[in-house]
Structures are given as structure tokens and as C-alpha cells.
Amino acid sequence: MRFAHPDGSIVHLAYCTNVHPAEDVDGLMHQLRVFGGGIRAELDVDRLGVGLWLPAPLAAHLADHPDLDRLRTALDDHGLEVVTLNAFPYQGFHDPVVKKAVYSPDWVETRRLDYTLTCARVLARLLPDDAARGSISTLPLAWRTPWHADRRLRARELLDRLAEGLAKQTAETGRPIRVGLEPEPGCVVETVDEAIDQLSGIDTDHIGLCVDACHLAVAFEDPASAVRRLTDAGLPIVKTQASAALHVAAPGDVATRQALSSYAEDRFLHQVRERGPSQIAEREDCSQVRTIGVDDLPEAVDGRRALRGAGPWRVHFHVPIHRRPEPPLESTQDELGETLDALLGGPAAVTDHVEMETYTWSVLPESQRPGSDAELISGLAEELRWVADRMRRAGLEST
């Protein structure tokens, strides 16, 4: 799906395929036919954007195999286009237990560099002929521990090599690809200010940020302020992920804790952050909102490392963005709308790639999970419809 911004630029909207578990070529083709084609038909659009997640072994296979041409043909056959890849999970994203394994390998390991450059090679071949450029999202350096000066220097070395590799590929192919580090709770780069600090001096022609609206909300960051500070710092937002977190207004309430416990599950990490009355920022730009938190939802609800419960909680659980959770829980749907407005509602678009990313449909509380492929297709289509409507409210027009 494409939208025209008043500044004349084209903004692409896609859904991220990391919601699907397949990790081989046949599984990928099945995704495109059943889900990509199904969502496009449900939305009744000529072309649907898909943000592909390619596990490392699959990316390596496609980069040097005729199956890449087969993939490009399948995209055309099903009315799909790819301008962005999600290269945050390395592989095994739908294993029974993922948790902190999703951060491995990190940006201290050459495997992460090699994987990202391989994804860039694949994306350059998949980009539509009329697309201005491609984008790839990646993890925000590493999980926060261990992190010390030697690891920081090594990560910067690999990011510099990444920029060199992207520049060389652009010169060879004529297809620019940019990589965005995605701030996330618990990582070396969790907040906008940490991103500005850690990426100071980076090659911004090729490297910037991927702003995930769920992660931004979990950190209690003000979207307009966050976007403004990144722009002032000269850090490009190469893509944004349209997503919503759980919001818990009264975490001390017994019924609320019981409802929240139904979201505690074994596969993914669901970091929790609390903001109390004493932590409300007095600065106009709200640039230093402090939170306390735990690394996974069970720690917050079972009393082992209970948070105070004095202020609202935000939970890193990507909930379907088009519908509100059942009370007493809420979502950060409003904050997502504010993020899209901050990125797209001004005189110039701050980003041109929007990827709707709700990968947690299969681990929602059982009563909320889709019971069939058709139900998942309908849910993903409704999410995209919500994002598209919000983009139009920001002044964009469908093309």
C-alpha cells in the first residue's frame, strides 16, 4: 500500500511477516500465497506491502540461489511488494521459548554484520523498480548486559563496516538500502536519548533508527518530542513499526493483575515499565522520563520482583492495534496514533516506510487468538486498515 505525502514523497505501508513461523523457501511461498494474497484481497487493494522476515539460513540461501527470482515472481503474482525487511530476529523466532535469545547474535558478533549485509543483498533484488530505497530493521546493539567499553568499540567497528558494505552495494546496484537500529526495553539502546548517545557520529547516509511505537510507549516517551529530538540530532528514522503495547492504568488492582496474568506466556519476552507520580517529567520536551521495570511480565505479576504498582505500567506485548484489550486492561493505541502524526503529519514526512508489526497473535490469551488462517488474515487486514486510516488523518492520500 502506498500513500502520497503533501511534500510529494511516497510513504509505503506493509505488514511484517514475522507473525508467521515458516523459515524455509516453501514456507515463505505459502505465506505469500495464503496470507499476503489473502490480506490483499480482503483489503481490496491492487498492491500490498509485506515486510519480510528472513531467518539467517534462508537469507543466505536466497542471496546466491535462483529461488530469489522465484520469490520475486511470487511477489508479482500475488500483488505484493517488498521495500523493507525485519532483520532483528536471527532465526528461530517461533521456537517454543525465545525470550532473550532474540538478541543473539548481537552487534558485537560478525555473524550479525554478515546476516544484515546478506539481507541487504536480497532486498536490493526484491525492491520494486520505482521504489526510492529499501530499509532493514535490526536490534539496538545488544541486550544491556554485559556492556562495557570494549563491546561498545567493537559494535561501532561493525556498524562502520556495515555502512561501508551498504555504500559499496548501492554503488554497484543503484538501489540504496538503509539500516535502522530499533530501540527496545532492556537493551543497550532503550530510549531516544540513548540512541542519540550511542549512535553519535555514525554514517547517517546508511544507518539510522527504526522507531517502534510499542517500544516508544513502553518507555513513556512523548512521540512528538522523541521525533523532534532525533531530527535535531540528525539521526534519520529509516522506518517505523506501527504497534501498540499493553497499558495498565491500575496495576495494584487485584482484578487487573488477574487479567494481566493471562498475557504471561513462555515464548517472547514482555518487559514491563512503571512510571510513578514522582517521575513525571517537568521539562517541556519530556526528554528524560524515568521508569523502573522488570525484564518479563511474570516477574511483575507473581510477586517475585513486584513493582510498586503506584503508577501505570506499560508492557512490551504487541497487542492487535485496531481493537482495545478487554477491560480493565488498555492499549497504547492513542500513542501509536500520535507517533504516526509526529512522523507523517508535518510539512515533510520524517520517514517513508511504515511496517505494521503485531507478531504475537499466536500467544494472545486463548480466547483472543485466531482459530484459523482466515481469522488471522481478517485480523491483520483490520490492523492495516486502522493504520491506513490514521495515515489519511495525518494528511496522506492513497495512491
Side-chain angles (χ1 to χ4, degrees):
M1 301 169 71
R2 298 184 179 190
F3 296 81
H5 191 276
D7 68 2
S9 64
I10 296 298
V11 178
H12 298 262
L13 171 61
Y15 94 95
C16 186
T17 65
N18 65 356
V19 65
H20 309 304
E23 298 201 16
D24 57 23
V25 172
D26 290 340
L28 179 58
M29 296 301 178
H30 176 80
Q31 288 176 14
L32 299 180
R33 177 176 60 82
V34 174
F35 295 101
I39 295 168
R40 186 184 66 80
E42 182 135 345
L43 292 173
D44 192 25
V45 294
D46 292 334
R47 189 157 293 269
L48 175 72
V50 291
L52 289 182
W53 170 57
L54 300 176
L58 178 56
H61 169 80
L62 289 171
D64 298 303
H65 196 279
D67 278 339
L68 185 55
D69 294 326
R70 179 184 165 205
L71 173 57
R72 177 70 185 258
T73 299
L75 291 168
D76 292 338
D77 288 347
H78 298 302
L80 308 173
E81 71 172 15
V82 175
V83 300
T84 189
L85 299 183
N86 186 329
F88 194 128
Y90 188 77
Q91 64 185 100
F93 193 53
H94 288 265
D95 287 350
V97 178
V98 179
K99 300 295 183 180
K100 291 181 182 178
V102 75
Y103 307 111
S104 180
D106 59 26
W107 273 104
V108 179
E109 299 184 59
T110 305
R111 286 187 300 157
R112 176 60 64 173
L113 171 66
D114 293 342
Y115 168 51
T116 308
L117 286 174
T118 298
C119 285
R121 289 173 55 198
V122 172
L123 180 56
R125 293 273 301 277
L126 295 179
L127 278 177
D129 293 339
D130 59 350
R133 55 195 172 194
S135 65
I136 299 173
S137 49
T138 186
L139 75 160
L141 298 180
W143 186 250
R144 68 179 182 276
T145 55
W147 191 252
H148 46 73
D150 288 347
R151 286 175 61 79
R152 178 170 179 163
L153 287 172
R154 174 61 174 167
R156 176 51 64 94
E157 175 191 343
L158 292 187
L159 289 178
D160 289 343
R161 288 169 57 184
L162 171 67
E164 293 170 1
L166 293 172
K168 180 179 178 181
Q169 177 178 292
T170 299
E172 293 172 350
T173 67
R175 310 312 308 271
I177 307 290
R178 299 188 297 174
V179 171
L181 279 71
E182 180 184 333
E184 177 162 311
C187 293
V188 171
V189 177
E190 176 168 342
T191 67
V192 164
D193 288 341
E194 289 169 348
I196 293 170
D197 173 57
Q198 292 286 339
L199 298 182
S200 175
I202 203 74
D203 181 350
T204 54
D205 288 336
H206 301 98
I207 298 174
L209 284 195
C210 168
V211 171
D212 186 302
C214 168
H215 304 172
L216 199 69
V218 171
F220 289 91
E221 300 229 40
D222 175 72
S225 172
V227 171
R228 182 172 60 252
R229 298 194 326 270
L230 289 171
T231 301
D232 290 347
L235 271 180
I237 300 175
V238 307
K239 69 185 277 189
T240 189
Q241 287 177 322
S243 54
L246 275 173
H247 178 84
V248 187
D253 176 68
V254 174
T256 298
R257 290 288 185 103
Q258 290 176 340
L260 188 57
S261 66
S262 67
Y263 285 85
E265 52 85 25
D266 294 333
R267 181 174 298 156
F268 300 119
L269 201 64
H270 301 295
Q271 301 92 317
V272 183
R273 295 293 181 265
E274 175 181 307
R275 175 181 176 177
S278 63
Q279 296 168 315
I280 296 175
E282 296 180 357
R283 291 171 53 178
E284 183 179 352
D285 65 1
C286 299
S287 64
Q288 289 292 339
V289 176
R290 293 184 179 180
T291 62
I292 58 173
V294 295
D295 288 339
D296 206 359
L297 183 54
E299 300 175 39
V301 298
D302 70 3
R304 283 181 293 161
R305 291 183 59 191
L307 298 171
R308 294 184 309 232
W313 289 359
R314 297 269 175 85
V315 183
H316 176 219
F317 195 119
H318 287 221
V319 293
I321 60 181
H322 65 291
R323 69 187 190 204
R324 305 279 186 172
E326 296 179 6
L329 301 180
E330 305 169 33
S331 80
T332 60
Q333 184 190 79
D334 292 342
E335 286 77 7
L336 167 58
E338 293 171 9
T339 301
L340 293 172
D341 289 345
L343 291 165
L344 303 174
V350 180
T351 190
D352 54 359
H353 292 173
V354 179
E355 180 184 64
M356 187 278 293
E357 191 207 22
T358 305
Y359 57 84
T360 49
W361 280 89
S362 64
V363 296
L364 288 169
E366 191 168 354
S367 63
Q368 302 177 39
R369 296 175 195 170
S372 64
D373 288 350
E375 289 184 10
L376 178 56
I377 288 168
S378 178
L380 293 169
E382 286 299 318
E383 288 193 280
L384 281 166
R385 191 174 284 119
W386 189 96
V387 177
D389 287 345
R390 189 69 193 215
M391 291 171 66
R392 294 187 189 98
R393 285 175 56 185
L396 283 69
E397 295 183 358
S398 301
T399 62

mmCIF file of all heavy atoms in Angstrom, residues 197-241:
data_model
loop_
_atom_site.group_PDB
_atom_site.id
_atom_site.type_symbol
_atom_site.label_atom_id
_atom_site.label_comp_id
_atom_site.label_asym_id
_atom_site.label_seq_id
_atom_site.Cartn_x
_atom_site.Cartn_y
_atom_site.Cartn_z
ATOM 1 N N ASP A 197 23.030 9.093 22.025
ATOM 2 C CA ASP A 197 24.351 8.927 22.623
ATOM 3 C C ASP A 197 25.149 7.829 21.930
ATOM 4 O O ASP A 197 26.300 8.039 21.526
ATOM 5 C CB ASP A 197 24.209 8.606 24.105
ATOM 6 C CG ASP A 197 25.543 8.254 24.753
ATOM 7 O OD1 ASP A 197 26.468 9.075 24.698
ATOM 8 O OD2 ASP A 197 25.656 7.130 25.294
ATOM 9 N N GLN A 198 24.558 6.653 21.777
ATOM 10 C CA GLN A 198 25.289 5.504 21.248
ATOM 11 C C GLN A 198 25.617 5.646 19.759
ATOM 12 O O GLN A 198 26.611 5.088 19.293
ATOM 13 C CB GLN A 198 24.475 4.223 21.468
ATOM 14 C CG GLN A 198 24.324 3.808 22.922
ATOM 15 C CD GLN A 198 25.606 3.230 23.497
ATOM 16 O OE1 GLN A 198 26.490 2.769 22.786
ATOM 17 N NE2 GLN A 198 25.715 3.269 24.829
ATOM 18 N N LEU A 199 24.797 6.376 19.013
ATOM 19 C CA LEU A 199 24.997 6.459 17.562
ATOM 20 C C LEU A 199 25.606 7.784 17.125
ATOM 21 O O LEU A 199 25.649 8.077 15.924
ATOM 22 C CB LEU A 199 23.667 6.222 16.842
ATOM 23 C CG LEU A 199 23.037 4.845 17.076
ATOM 24 C CD1 LEU A 199 21.747 4.702 16.286
ATOM 25 C CD2 LEU A 199 24.015 3.723 16.708
ATOM 26 N N SER A 200 26.080 8.558 18.074
ATOM 27 C CA SER A 200 26.732 9.815 17.719
ATOM 28 C C SER A 200 27.895 9.560 16.766
ATOM 29 O O SER A 200 28.747 8.704 17.017
ATOM 30 C CB SER A 200 27.240 10.514 18.986
ATOM 31 O OG SER A 200 27.963 11.678 18.664
ATOM 32 N N GLY A 201 27.917 10.280 15.652
ATOM 33 C CA GLY A 201 28.997 10.152 14.692
ATOM 34 C C GLY A 201 28.841 9.032 13.692
ATOM 35 O O GLY A 201 29.728 8.809 12.862
ATOM 36 N N ILE A 202 27.714 8.325 13.717
ATOM 37 C CA ILE A 202 27.504 7.216 12.786
ATOM 38 C C ILE A 202 27.278 7.752 11.372
ATOM 39 O O ILE A 202 26.918 8.927 11.177
ATOM 40 C CB ILE A 202 26.285 6.363 13.248
ATOM 41 C CG1 ILE A 202 26.364 4.946 12.684
ATOM 42 C CG2 ILE A 202 24.974 7.024 12.841
ATOM 43 C CD1 ILE A 202 27.384 4.089 13.358
ATOM 44 N N ASP A 203 27.500 6.916 10.373
ATOM 45 C CA ASP A 203 27.251 7.283 8.975
ATOM 46 C C ASP A 203 25.741 7.319 8.747
ATOM 47 O O ASP A 203 25.112 6.290 8.498
ATOM 48 C CB ASP A 203 27.913 6.260 8.049
ATOM 49 C CG ASP A 203 27.716 6.584 6.575
ATOM 50 O OD1 ASP A 203 26.908 7.485 6.249
ATOM 51 O OD2 ASP A 203 28.347 5.919 5.738
ATOM 52 N N THR A 204 25.147 8.495 8.817
ATOM 53 C CA THR A 204 23.692 8.607 8.728
ATOM 54 C C THR A 204 23.164 8.510 7.296
ATOM 55 O O THR A 204 21.951 8.527 7.090
ATOM 56 C CB THR A 204 23.215 9.922 9.369
ATOM 57 O OG1 THR A 204 23.925 11.032 8.780
ATOM 58 C CG2 THR A 204 23.461 9.900 10.868
ATOM 59 N N ASP A 205 24.054 8.421 6.314
ATOM 60 C CA ASP A 205 23.571 8.136 4.960
ATOM 61 C C ASP A 205 23.066 6.702 4.849
ATOM 62 O O ASP A 205 22.235 6.397 3.984
ATOM 63 C CB ASP A 205 24.686 8.347 3.931
ATOM 64 C CG ASP A 205 25.012 9.809 3.725
ATOM 65 O OD1 ASP A 205 24.131 10.659 3.997
ATOM 66 O OD2 ASP A 205 26.143 10.110 3.298
ATOM 67 N N HIS A 206 23.559 5.838 5.728
ATOM 68 C CA HIS A 206 23.226 4.422 5.609
ATOM 69 C C HIS A 206 22.636 3.815 6.875
ATOM 70 O O HIS A 206 22.052 2.729 6.822
ATOM 71 C CB HIS A 206 24.478 3.628 5.214
ATOM 72 C CG HIS A 206 25.076 4.085 3.917
ATOM 73 N ND1 HIS A 206 26.146 4.957 3.858
ATOM 74 C CD2 HIS A 206 24.737 3.801 2.641
ATOM 75 C CE1 HIS A 206 26.449 5.193 2.587
ATOM 76 N NE2 HIS A 206 25.618 4.505 1.831
ATOM 77 N N ILE A 207 22.798 4.479 8.010
ATOM 78 C CA ILE A 207 22.347 3.926 9.289
ATOM 79 C C ILE A 207 21.549 4.982 10.045
ATOM 80 O O ILE A 207 21.921 6.149 10.085
ATOM 81 C CB ILE A 207 23.542 3.458 10.144
ATOM 82 C CG1 ILE A 207 24.303 2.345 9.421
ATOM 83 C CG2 ILE A 207 23.079 2.977 11.517
ATOM 84 C CD1 ILE A 207 25.590 1.925 10.115
ATOM 85 N N GLY A 208 20.445 4.544 10.619
ATOM 86 C CA GLY A 208 19.618 5.427 11.434
ATOM 87 C C GLY A 208 18.844 4.601 12.434
ATOM 88 O O GLY A 208 19.347 3.616 12.967
ATOM 89 N N LEU A 209 17.589 4.993 12.657
ATOM 90 C CA LEU A 209 16.751 4.311 13.634
ATOM 91 C C LEU A 209 15.514 3.728 12.983
ATOM 92 O O LEU A 209 15.013 4.238 11.981
ATOM 93 C CB LEU A 209 16.294 5.269 14.738
ATOM 94 C CG LEU A 209 17.263 5.682 15.832
ATOM 95 C CD1 LEU A 209 16.496 6.311 16.980
ATOM 96 C CD2 LEU A 209 18.103 4.522 16.335
ATOM 97 N N CYS A 210 15.038 2.646 13.587
ATOM 98 C CA CYS A 210 13.683 2.148 13.362
ATOM 99 C C CYS A 210 12.911 2.462 14.636
ATOM 100 O O CYS A 210 13.254 1.955 15.707
ATOM 101 C CB CYS A 210 13.679 0.647 13.083
ATOM 102 S SG CYS A 210 12.031 -0.101 13.132
ATOM 103 N N VAL A 211 11.905 3.301 14.542
ATOM 104 C CA VAL A 211 11.119 3.685 15.709
ATOM 105 C C VAL A 211 9.903 2.772 15.805
ATOM 106 O O VAL A 211 9.021 2.799 14.952
ATOM 107 C CB VAL A 211 10.683 5.159 15.633
ATOM 108 C CG1 VAL A 211 9.686 5.484 16.751
ATOM 109 C CG2 VAL A 211 11.897 6.073 15.729
ATOM 110 N N ASP A 212 9.902 1.929 16.835
ATOM 111 C CA ASP A 212 8.771 1.039 17.101
ATOM 112 C C ASP A 212 7.849 1.747 18.086
ATOM 113 O O ASP A 212 8.256 2.074 19.206
ATOM 114 C CB ASP A 212 9.285 -0.282 17.678
ATOM 115 C CG ASP A 212 8.189 -1.315 17.853
ATOM 116 O OD1 ASP A 212 7.213 -1.005 18.588
ATOM 117 O OD2 ASP A 212 8.292 -2.415 17.298
ATOM 118 N N ALA A 213 6.599 1.970 17.686
ATOM 119 C CA ALA A 213 5.682 2.753 18.518
ATOM 120 C C ALA A 213 5.365 2.067 19.835
ATOM 121 O O ALA A 213 5.141 2.731 20.852
ATOM 122 C CB ALA A 213 4.395 3.039 17.744
ATOM 123 N N CYS A 214 5.337 0.733 19.853
ATOM 124 C CA CYS A 214 5.126 -0.001 21.096
ATOM 125 C C CYS A 214 6.273 0.266 22.057
ATOM 126 O O CYS A 214 6.059 0.595 23.229
ATOM 127 C CB CYS A 214 4.993 -1.495 20.809
ATOM 128 S SG CYS A 214 5.059 -2.568 22.266
ATOM 129 N N HIS A 215 7.500 0.142 21.586
ATOM 130 C CA HIS A 215 8.670 0.337 22.436
ATOM 131 C C HIS A 215 8.743 1.783 22.937
ATOM 132 O O HIS A 215 9.110 2.030 24.095
ATOM 133 C CB HIS A 215 9.942 -0.003 21.676
ATOM 134 C CG HIS A 215 9.957 -1.388 21.118
ATOM 135 N ND1 HIS A 215 10.945 -1.839 20.262
ATOM 136 C CD2 HIS A 215 9.104 -2.435 21.277
ATOM 137 C CE1 HIS A 215 10.693 -3.098 19.920
ATOM 138 N NE2 HIS A 215 9.586 -3.470 20.526
ATOM 139 N N LEU A 216 8.403 2.727 22.065
ATOM 140 C CA LEU A 216 8.396 4.130 22.451
ATOM 141 C C LEU A 216 7.413 4.360 23.599
ATOM 142 O O LEU A 216 7.711 5.069 24.562
ATOM 143 C CB LEU A 216 8.026 4.986 21.244
ATOM 144 C CG LEU A 216 8.376 6.467 21.275
ATOM 145 C CD1 LEU A 216 9.884 6.670 21.186
ATOM 146 C CD2 LEU A 216 7.684 7.192 20.120
ATOM 147 N N ALA A 217 6.241 3.725 23.498
ATOM 148 C CA ALA A 217 5.216 3.893 24.531
ATOM 149 C C ALA A 217 5.620 3.223 25.835
ATOM 150 O O ALA A 217 5.356 3.748 26.924
ATOM 151 C CB ALA A 217 3.886 3.338 24.037
ATOM 152 N N VAL A 218 6.254 2.039 25.753
ATOM 153 C CA VAL A 218 6.674 1.350 26.971
ATOM 154 C C VAL A 218 7.664 2.208 27.753
ATOM 155 O O VAL A 218 7.670 2.209 28.991
ATOM 156 C CB VAL A 218 7.275 -0.034 26.638
ATOM 157 C CG1 VAL A 218 7.923 -0.664 27.868
ATOM 158 C CG2 VAL A 218 6.186 -0.961 26.094
ATOM 159 N N ALA A 219 8.469 2.975 27.053
ATOM 160 C CA ALA A 219 9.427 3.878 27.706
ATOM 161 C C ALA A 219 8.778 5.187 28.149
ATOM 162 O O ALA A 219 9.469 6.062 28.670
ATOM 163 C CB ALA A 219 10.587 4.180 26.765
ATOM 164 N N PHE A 220 7.471 5.308 27.973
ATOM 165 C CA PHE A 220 6.729 6.519 28.333
ATOM 166 C C PHE A 220 7.312 7.754 27.662
ATOM 167 O O PHE A 220 7.356 8.839 28.237
ATOM 168 C CB PHE A 220 6.691 6.708 29.852
ATOM 169 C CG PHE A 220 5.807 5.723 30.569
ATOM 170 C CD1 PHE A 220 6.332 4.523 31.037
ATOM 171 C CD2 PHE A 220 4.461 5.981 30.775
ATOM 172 C CE1 PHE A 220 5.532 3.598 31.706
ATOM 173 C CE2 PHE A 220 3.648 5.067 31.435
ATOM 174 C CZ PHE A 220 4.180 3.881 31.905
ATOM 175 N N GLU A 221 7.770 7.592 26.408
ATOM 176 C CA GLU A 221 8.306 8.727 25.672
ATOM 177 C C GLU A 221 7.183 9.460 24.940
ATOM 178 O O GLU A 221 6.266 8.834 24.401
ATOM 179 C CB GLU A 221 9.357 8.256 24.662
ATOM 180 C CG GLU A 221 10.540 7.534 25.298
ATOM 181 C CD GLU A 221 11.864 8.059 24.806
ATOM 182 O OE1 GLU A 221 11.999 9.292 24.650
ATOM 183 O OE2 GLU A 221 12.766 7.244 24.587
ATOM 184 N N ASP A 222 7.259 10.773 24.930
ATOM 185 C CA ASP A 222 6.315 11.575 24.174
ATOM 186 C C ASP A 222 6.682 11.509 22.692
ATOM 187 O O ASP A 222 7.807 11.871 22.314
ATOM 188 C CB ASP A 222 6.349 13.020 24.650
ATOM 189 C CG ASP A 222 5.474 13.915 23.805
ATOM 190 O OD1 ASP A 222 4.238 13.819 23.915
ATOM 191 O OD2 ASP A 222 6.034 14.708 23.021
ATOM 192 N N PRO A 223 5.767 11.043 21.810
ATOM 193 C CA PRO A 223 6.147 10.845 20.407
ATOM 194 C C PRO A 223 6.647 12.097 19.711
ATOM 195 O O PRO A 223 7.674 12.055 19.014
ATOM 196 C CB PRO A 223 4.853 10.321 19.769
ATOM 197 C CG PRO A 223 4.114 9.665 20.885
ATOM 198 C CD PRO A 223 4.415 10.514 22.089
ATOM 199 N N ALA A 224 5.953 13.209 19.886
ATOM 200 C CA ALA A 224 6.371 14.431 19.191
ATOM 201 C C ALA A 224 7.755 14.873 19.648
ATOM 202 O O ALA A 224 8.607 15.254 18.828
ATOM 203 C CB ALA A 224 5.345 15.539 19.421
ATOM 204 N N SER A 225 7.994 14.810 20.959
ATOM 205 C CA SER A 225 9.304 15.182 21.473
ATOM 206 C C SER A 225 10.386 14.239 20.979
ATOM 207 O O SER A 225 11.481 14.662 20.597
ATOM 208 C CB SER A 225 9.272 15.183 23.007
ATOM 209 O OG SER A 225 10.569 15.355 23.531
ATOM 210 N N ALA A 226 10.089 12.933 20.973
ATOM 211 C CA ALA A 226 11.075 11.946 20.531
ATOM 212 C C ALA A 226 11.472 12.174 19.084
ATOM 213 O O ALA A 226 12.668 12.175 18.742
ATOM 214 C CB ALA A 226 10.506 10.538 20.713
ATOM 215 N N VAL A 227 10.493 12.384 18.226
ATOM 216 C CA VAL A 227 10.783 12.610 16.809
ATOM 217 C C VAL A 227 11.569 13.903 16.626
ATOM 218 O O VAL A 227 12.531 13.961 15.845
ATOM 219 C CB VAL A 227 9.472 12.627 15.990
ATOM 220 C CG1 VAL A 227 9.737 13.090 14.556
ATOM 221 C CG2 VAL A 227 8.823 11.244 15.990
ATOM 222 N N ARG A 228 11.186 14.932 17.355
ATOM 223 C CA ARG A 228 11.887 16.213 17.235
ATOM 224 C C ARG A 228 13.342 16.093 17.672
ATOM 225 O O ARG A 228 14.251 16.626 17.008
ATOM 226 C CB ARG A 228 11.162 17.269 18.063
ATOM 227 C CG ARG A 228 11.781 18.663 17.968
ATOM 228 C CD ARG A 228 10.919 19.720 18.645
ATOM 229 N NE ARG A 228 10.723 19.449 20.065
ATOM 230 C CZ ARG A 228 9.580 19.029 20.611
ATOM 231 N NH1 ARG A 228 8.528 18.774 19.844
ATOM 232 N NH2 ARG A 228 9.482 18.826 21.915
ATOM 233 N N ARG A 229 13.592 15.390 18.763
ATOM 234 C CA ARG A 229 14.968 15.267 19.250
ATOM 235 C C ARG A 229 15.829 14.450 18.304
ATOM 236 O O ARG A 229 17.013 14.749 18.102
ATOM 237 C CB ARG A 229 14.976 14.654 20.659
ATOM 238 C CG ARG A 229 14.254 15.537 21.659
ATOM 239 C CD ARG A 229 14.493 15.198 23.109
ATOM 240 N NE ARG A 229 14.670 13.810 23.443
ATOM 241 C CZ ARG A 229 13.671 12.986 23.767
ATOM 242 N NH1 ARG A 229 12.400 13.408 23.709
ATOM 243 N NH2 ARG A 229 13.924 11.753 24.124
ATOM 244 N N LEU A 230 15.252 13.408 17.713
ATOM 245 C CA LEU A 230 16.011 12.627 16.733
ATOM 246 C C LEU A 230 16.336 13.462 15.506
ATOM 247 O O LEU A 230 17.450 13.415 14.973
ATOM 248 C CB LEU A 230 15.222 11.383 16.335
ATOM 249 C CG LEU A 230 15.112 10.301 17.412
ATOM 250 C CD1 LEU A 230 14.127 9.222 16.987
ATOM 251 C CD2 LEU A 230 16.467 9.680 17.699
ATOM 252 N N THR A 231 15.370 14.236 15.047
ATOM 253 C CA THR A 231 15.592 15.098 13.889
ATOM 254 C C THR A 231 16.661 16.142 14.189
ATOM 255 O O THR A 231 17.568 16.380 13.380
ATOM 256 C CB THR A 231 14.276 15.789 13.480
ATOM 257 O OG1 THR A 231 13.289 14.798 13.176
ATOM 258 C CG2 THR A 231 14.487 16.670 12.262
ATOM 259 N N ASP A 232 16.565 16.748 15.368
ATOM 260 C CA ASP A 232 17.562 17.763 15.744
ATOM 261 C C ASP A 232 18.962 17.161 15.843
ATOM 262 O O ASP A 232 19.965 17.841 15.571
ATOM 263 C CB ASP A 232 17.185 18.399 17.083
ATOM 264 C CG ASP A 232 15.955 19.290 16.995
ATOM 265 O OD1 ASP A 232 15.539 19.617 15.859
ATOM 266 O OD2 ASP A 232 15.390 19.634 18.050
ATOM 267 N N ALA A 233 19.037 15.877 16.242
ATOM 268 C CA ALA A 233 20.332 15.211 16.372
ATOM 269 C C ALA A 233 20.859 14.707 15.032
ATOM 270 O O ALA A 233 21.984 14.205 14.960
ATOM 271 C CB ALA A 233 20.223 14.046 17.353
ATOM 272 N N GLY A 234 20.045 14.819 13.984
ATOM 273 C CA GLY A 234 20.482 14.378 12.662
ATOM 274 C C GLY A 234 20.412 12.884 12.452
ATOM 275 O O GLY A 234 21.035 12.359 11.521
ATOM 276 N N LEU A 235 19.661 12.166 13.302
ATOM 277 C CA LEU A 235 19.511 10.721 13.138
ATOM 278 C C LEU A 235 18.285 10.432 12.293
ATOM 279 O O LEU A 235 17.156 10.717 12.713
ATOM 280 C CB LEU A 235 19.362 10.035 14.506
ATOM 281 C CG LEU A 235 20.637 9.600 15.216
ATOM 282 C CD1 LEU A 235 20.273 8.940 16.550
ATOM 283 C CD2 LEU A 235 21.445 8.629 14.368
ATOM 284 N N PRO A 236 18.438 9.850 11.118
ATOM 285 C CA PRO A 236 17.276 9.569 10.281
ATOM 286 C C PRO A 236 16.435 8.422 10.843
ATOM 287 O O PRO A 236 16.966 7.487 11.439
ATOM 288 C CB PRO A 236 17.895 9.180 8.937
ATOM 289 C CG PRO A 236 19.247 8.643 9.282
ATOM 290 C CD PRO A 236 19.705 9.450 10.479
ATOM 291 N N ILE A 237 15.140 8.515 10.682
ATOM 292 C CA ILE A 237 14.230 7.424 11.035
ATOM 293 C C ILE A 237 13.949 6.677 9.735
ATOM 294 O O ILE A 237 13.131 7.097 8.916
ATOM 295 C CB ILE A 237 12.940 7.955 11.682
ATOM 296 C CG1 ILE A 237 13.287 8.731 12.960
ATOM 297 C CG2 ILE A 237 11.981 6.814 11.992
ATOM 298 C CD1 ILE A 237 12.103 9.414 13.616
ATOM 299 N N VAL A 238 14.661 5.583 9.524
ATOM 300 C CA VAL A 238 14.590 4.903 8.240
ATOM 301 C C VAL A 238 13.306 4.093 8.087
ATOM 302 O O VAL A 238 12.894 3.800 6.962
ATOM 303 C CB VAL A 238 15.832 4.012 8.001
ATOM 304 C CG1 VAL A 238 17.104 4.822 8.178
ATOM 305 C CG2 VAL A 238 15.844 2.808 8.916
ATOM 306 N N LYS A 239 12.677 3.730 9.198
ATOM 307 C CA LYS A 239 11.367 3.094 9.143
ATOM 308 C C LYS A 239 10.725 3.216 10.517
ATOM 309 O O LYS A 239 11.407 3.488 11.513
ATOM 310 C CB LYS A 239 11.456 1.611 8.720
ATOM 311 C CG LYS A 239 12.096 0.699 9.747
ATOM 312 C CD LYS A 239 12.246 -0.733 9.203
ATOM 313 C CE LYS A 239 10.992 -1.565 9.324
ATOM 314 N NZ LYS A 239 11.231 -2.990 8.990
ATOM 315 N N THR A 240 9.421 3.035 10.552
ATOM 316 C CA THR A 240 8.728 2.958 11.823
ATOM 317 C C THR A 240 7.888 1.697 11.839
ATOM 318 O O THR A 240 7.422 1.231 10.793
ATOM 319 C CB THR A 240 7.839 4.189 12.075
ATOM 320 O OG1 THR A 240 7.359 4.160 13.424
ATOM 321 C CG2 THR A 240 6.651 4.214 11.122
ATOM 322 N N GLN A 241 7.748 1.121 13.011
ATOM 323 C CA GLN A 241 6.890 -0.047 13.174
ATOM 324 C C GLN A 241 5.644 0.376 13.934
ATOM 325 O O GLN A 241 5.716 0.871 15.063
ATOM 326 C CB GLN A 241 7.641 -1.173 13.887
ATOM 327 C CG GLN A 241 8.671 -1.804 12.952
ATOM 328 C CD GLN A 241 9.508 -2.876 13.593
ATOM 329 O OE1 GLN A 241 9.878 -2.755 14.750
ATOM 330 N NE2 GLN A 241 9.843 -3.908 12.837
#
